Amino acid sequence: MKYFESKLKIELENFADIRDKLEFCRKLDIRDVILEPTNFQEKIPLTVKKKIEDIEDLNILFRINLKPTTLKNLKKKISSLNNVSDIISVETADPKIQLFAARDSRIDLLSFSNYRILNSLSEGVLSLAYQNHTFIEFTLKHIMNDNIRFQSKFFRLLYKSIRMAMKKRVKYILSGNFVNKYDYRNPKALMSILNTLIGISMPNLESAFGENVVSLINRAKNRVNPHIVEKGVQLIMEGEEKN
């Protein structure tokens, strides 16, 4: 089974740094990565993707992470991303924006990427995410915090949030989202940490790092597939056979 690092931040203009990070991933046997350009909220040029994909023999995918300041700002950003097959995520602590994002089929993922944003997660957002097949992301960079009291506080909130998502039957993923490459961890190591420290079962963790990420990737691709009418309904063109 593939296990992903689903939120690896890069600077598109810094290929030397991208190469360094991907080489480090390879050394850690992190072979499936989803890259997130920082401070970039536009369609990623194909020429840039190709150049990055040629750096290392890894399975490399891309995501566009929107950080809207207002609902109007989000609507403007999302309208410019038509026909994009990369994962589109939204990162905000604003409940109104979260609710809109959970309903909008153009948005694949709501990312609860730090303690402040995670603390804003509500059952209402989770219910809407479930109804609209929107994914939820929890990230783990705070497990590397040197402040033991804060680290413990984060684990308690993370445990509560994951339990809420499971109760609402929402598909969720887990990402490292580490800033320093020396904090990178193989997903199997992260699964072991979470299983030991907060008691999430291994089958749930395997889904959060593996199967659910694959489903998320397929959701983004299907969003721009002209043969997909709605979830579970695909047009079969004359001469085609459904596999």
Side-chain angles (χ1 to χ4, degrees):
M1 183 184 294
K2 291 182 177 181
Y3 297 118
F4 290 77
E5 170 49 66
S6 299
K7 193 176 174 72
L8 197 150
K9 295 179 179 179
I10 58 167
E11 295 179 13
L12 278 183
E13 68 278 6
N14 191 342
F15 281 93
D17 185 61
I18 294 171
R19 181 186 298 276
D20 185 48
K21 288 178 176 178
L22 292 178
E23 286 178 351
F24 206 79
C25 285
R26 201 173 195 283
K27 290 176 182 177
L28 293 173
D29 201 28
I30 305 172
R31 308 197 69 86
D32 299 278
V33 297
I34 302 177
L35 303 182
E36 177 188 291
T38 56
N39 300 320
F40 185 88
Q41 300 179 9
E42 301 174 2
K43 187 174 181 179
I44 305 169
L46 289 176
T47 52
V48 175
K49 286 185 179 180
K50 184 65 170 61
K51 187 174 180 181
I52 293 173
E53 289 166 350
D54 287 343
I55 291 176
E56 277 290 338
D57 182 23
L58 303 174
N59 178 30
I60 298 173
L61 298 107
F62 297 86
R63 59 186 284 176
I64 299 171
N65 190 44
L66 305 178
K67 297 182 179 181
T69 53
T70 64
L71 189 52
K72 182 179 179 181
N73 180 243
L74 173 59
K75 291 177 179 179
K76 181 179 179 181
K77 290 177 184 295
I78 199 66
S79 66
S80 68
L81 292 173
N82 293 328
N83 299 317
V84 171
S85 61
D86 299 325
I87 294 164
I88 297 177
S89 63
V90 168
E91 191 173 299
T92 178
D94 187 320
K96 291 182 180 179
I97 299 177
Q98 290 175 7
L99 290 168
F100 176 88
R103 287 192 300 265
D104 195 302
S105 61
R106 296 169 295 180
I107 295 166
D108 305 303
L109 179 69
L110 267 170
S111 181
F112 291 84
S113 57
N114 59 46
Y115 186 89
R116 182 178 67 88
I117 297 177
L118 184 59
N119 202 31
S120 72
L121 179 63
S122 69
E123 291 192 356
V125 167
L126 290 172
S127 294
L128 276 177
Y130 171 74
Q131 293 169 29
N132 294 283
H133 313 289
T134 304
F135 286 73
I136 297 294
E137 176 180 47
F138 302 115
T139 70
L140 306 174
K141 68 178 181 180
H142 289 312
I143 70 173
M144 297 301 178
N145 196 289
D146 291 333
N147 186 321
I148 301 301
R149 289 182 63 186
F150 176 77
Q151 195 178 64
S152 176
K153 187 178 178 182
F154 167 71
F155 272 123
R156 287 196 299 272
L157 180 58
L158 180 64
Y159 175 82
K160 174 188 172 185
S161 301
I162 291 176
R163 291 294 178 186
M164 283 172 59
M166 291 169 62
K167 181 181 177 182
K168 293 294 184 179
R169 296 183 292 166
V170 177
K171 283 192 175 182
Y172 68 91
I173 69 168
L174 287 161
S175 309
N177 190 31
F178 300 119
V179 177
N180 188 327
K181 72 177 184 179
Y182 295 107
D183 289 335
Y184 290 1
R185 295 291 184 274
N186 185 286
K188 290 183 179 179
L190 294 173
M191 285 190 278
S192 180
I193 291 170
L194 294 172
N195 176 251
T196 301
L197 294 182
I198 61 176
I200 304 300
S201 72
M202 289 305 292
N204 278 310
L205 291 169
E206 288 170 355
S207 292
F209 281 99
E211 180 183 346
N212 287 352
V213 183
V214 173
S215 296
L216 171 63
I217 293 165
N218 289 335
R219 182 195 195 281
K221 289 179 179 177
N222 289 339
R223 190 180 60 247
V224 297
N225 184 342
H227 295 162
I228 300 294
V229 181
E230 59 181 85
K231 183 176 172 61
V233 179
Q234 179 172 351
L235 294 177
I236 304 299
M237 306 303 289
E238 186 176 353
E240 292 181 347
E241 291 185 5
K242 187 176 179 180
N243 295 327

